[in-house]
Amino acid sequence: MTLIKNSLFIVTGAASGIGRATALQAAGEGADVLACDVNAPGLAKTIVRIQKAGGQATSFLLDVADRHAINNFAEQVGRTYPNRRIILFNNAGVALGSGTIAQTDLNDFEWLLSINLWGVIRTTKAFLPQMLAQRDGHIINVSSVFGMMGPPEQSAYSTAKFGVRGF
């Protein structure tokens, strides 16, 4: 795809799972991948796999729950890669098997929302000005089937994924 080729493809949650697979696919299609996660060993494995396949990737330790880190990262990207078409793949997320709302500690609920929902919102807001200035780019927000139905034992996770879907 020419849309992906030569783009700056930013993947949050790139240390494993959907994020790693997406980073590998994007690099394979000719994107310069910025692989982001809090998991340094997982990121290193993602980068090695991309490079072994002949792709281009750079790793960034990024906690999407940290608004200052997100804003600093977006500013750094803008300075380092000026006028590049950005594809932002908001994928970072965590699970919390805490049970029903009655069983879930409010601090745990807030922790999950700060990553799974606020991470998506803040990362989008941080990169949107660059995309609008260029009149180019794409944002992909990853939700879940739990963003369409809410099992009682997944109250925090479902709340976040419903929020991402609505956003």
Side-chain angles (χ1 to χ4, degrees), residues 8-83:
L8 190 61
F9 205 104
I10 301 167
V11 181
T12 66
S16 63
I18 293 169
R20 177 179 284 164
T22 301
L24 285 161
Q25 183 71 33
E29 293 188 25
D32 290 329
V33 173
L34 303 185
C36 308
D37 208 299
V38 295
N39 176 349
L43 270 178
K45 290 176 184 174
T46 298
I47 299 300
V48 166
R49 288 184 61 183
I50 289 171
Q51 291 173 341
K52 280 185 179 179
Q56 297 290 322
T58 305
S59 67
F60 287 88
L61 284 177
L62 180 65
D63 181 355
V64 298
D66 182 340
R67 74 177 71 196
H68 300 295
I70 291 169
N71 290 333
N72 291 339
F73 174 62
E75 289 172 13
Q76 179 183 357
V77 168
R79 284 190 310 273
T80 307
Y81 306 93
N83 303 314

